[in-house]
Amino acid sequence: MFISGYNSMRMSITSQASSITSQFKPLNIPIIYVLLITAAELVTSHFLYAGILIHICLLGALLVHSVILDDQKVADLLTAMAVAPLVRILGLSTPLVHFSQITWFAIVSIPMFMAGIAIARLQGLSIKDINFSPPKKKYTLIELVVILICFPIGFLEYHLLRPSGITELNFYSMLAPMLIMMVNTGFLEEFIFRGLLQYHAVRLAGFQGIVLISVLFGALHLTNLVVYDAFLAGGVGLMFGLVVQRTGSIWGVSVAHGVVNITLFLIAPHVLG
């Protein structure tokens, strides 16, 4: 009886392990690239030019690999993932010293918008595919709760990063920076991560795809040199991903993302600094 029970338990564990493995199998190649991008971020944190070179190589590898793959779903995800190293290459190649930080955000976002739109059009994605449809009224409460939660998240991230204030704390000085933060960081990053990337990842592996994109989103915060911030960003990315999966819209999380950055860069330095 003991042997029979042991064999039964072993078979059950083996079956569960096999089931988990099979769920992640479609993501094997994307997972490898996420790990490589994470490694590139760690290198970039300490060796800037070496990190940029690795990201350039990863950008080329993702594009070439997406062309030669037979699995079209994986190929489409890899094409979209090429935006991740592109983000870092553009960000580090645009000299901050010649621009104010808010102008830098605006400048870097332009080629990112162009790349994201080009990929979406090339892949024939619709507004609904990239979750750009307006949210239904029944999800209004969910959207509002997420937006409100992002105010304390912004203060928490400020506690971790301690950036200097970008502008004075008054309406007229903050108006343009707030709009840029909302559109050029909030909407842009949600369009790329919870719109473009999440569409392909979910189509490929369901919930595991949302987790993968959240890990990638968190990894791209490693250059802030605060590991806790990368975990925070990954957790927030997972929350945003689940909300988008539920509501079918990136509108609410785009505003929420903008709120985090507005609090982090515009409000918290004056309140907590």
Side-chain angles (χ1 to χ4, degrees):
M1 182 179 295
F2 173 79
I3 295 175
S4 175
Y6 170 77
N7 288 335
S8 176
M9 181 178 68
R10 187 178 66 176
M11 290 176 63
S12 176
I13 294 173
T14 302
S15 175
Q16 291 177 10
S18 177
S19 175
I20 293 172
T21 302
S22 64
Q23 289 176 355
F24 278 95
K25 189 175 181 180
L27 290 174
N28 283 350
I29 295 174
I31 285 173
I32 291 172
Y33 276 108
V34 168
L35 293 175
L36 290 172
I37 291 170
T38 302
E41 287 290 283
L42 291 171
V43 172
T44 304
S45 301
H46 298 89
F47 307 99
L48 180 62
Y49 295 112
I52 293 176
L53 179 60
I54 294 172
H55 276 296
I56 292 173
C57 292
L58 285 173
L59 174 61
L62 281 162
L63 294 176
V64 171
H65 203 165
S66 67
V67 172
I68 63 177
L69 271 177
D70 293 328
D71 190 326
Q72 191 58 48
K73 289 183 179 180
V74 177
D76 288 342
L77 177 56
L78 294 189
T79 301
M81 284 179 65
V83 177
L86 184 61
V87 166
R88 187 58 62 232
I89 294 166
L90 289 172
L92 295 176
S93 301
T94 305
L96 182 58
V97 68
H98 297 304
F99 308 101
S100 67
Q101 189 168 10
I102 197 67
T103 304
W104 181 85
F105 279 130
I107 291 172
V108 171
S109 70
I110 294 172
M112 295 309 306
F113 269 120
M114 294 173 64
I117 292 171
I119 291 172
R121 289 181 63 86
L122 181 66
Q123 295 177 340
L125 302 183
S126 66
I127 294 296
K128 183 178 180 181
D129 290 334
I130 59 174
N131 298 309
F132 192 60
S133 303
K136 297 178 181 178
K137 289 184 179 180
K138 64 179 180 179
Y139 296 125
T140 301
L141 181 59
I142 296 176
E143 306 275 17
L144 288 175
V145 169
V146 172
I147 291 169
L148 291 175
I149 287 174
C150 284
F151 282 102
I153 289 175
F155 282 108
L156 175 58
E157 191 166 19
Y158 173 80
H159 179 72
L160 294 173
L161 300 179
R162 292 285 175 174
S164 58
I166 292 177
T167 185
E168 297 177 3
L169 188 61
N170 65 69
F171 177 76
Y172 294 105
S173 296
M174 292 179 62
L175 181 58
M178 285 175 63
L179 290 174
I180 290 173
M181 288 286 181
M182 191 64 69
V183 176
N184 297 68
T185 66
F187 171 70
L188 171 61
E189 292 183 22
E190 292 311 309
F191 160 57
I192 290 173
F193 286 93
R194 257 62 66 179
L196 189 61
L197 285 167
Q198 183 163 307
Y199 166 76
H200 291 300
V202 169
R203 189 174 65 141
L204 190 62
F207 173 73
Q208 287 77 16
I210 297 177
V211 174
L212 179 73
I213 300 308
S214 302
V215 171
L216 176 60
F217 184 69
L220 289 172
H221 288 72
L222 284 170
T223 48
N224 291 331
L225 300 177
V226 180
V227 174
Y228 293 123
D229 183 56
F231 282 108
L232 176 63
V236 172
L238 180 60
M239 176 179 71
F240 286 173
L242 293 174
V243 169
V244 170
Q245 190 64 13
R246 174 75 173 177
T247 64
S249 174
I250 63 170
W251 286 29
V253 297
S254 294
V255 174
H257 195 146
V259 164
V260 172
N261 289 335
I262 288 169
T263 305
L264 170 63
F265 291 106
L266 302 180
I267 299 175
H270 297 284
V271 176
L272 301 179

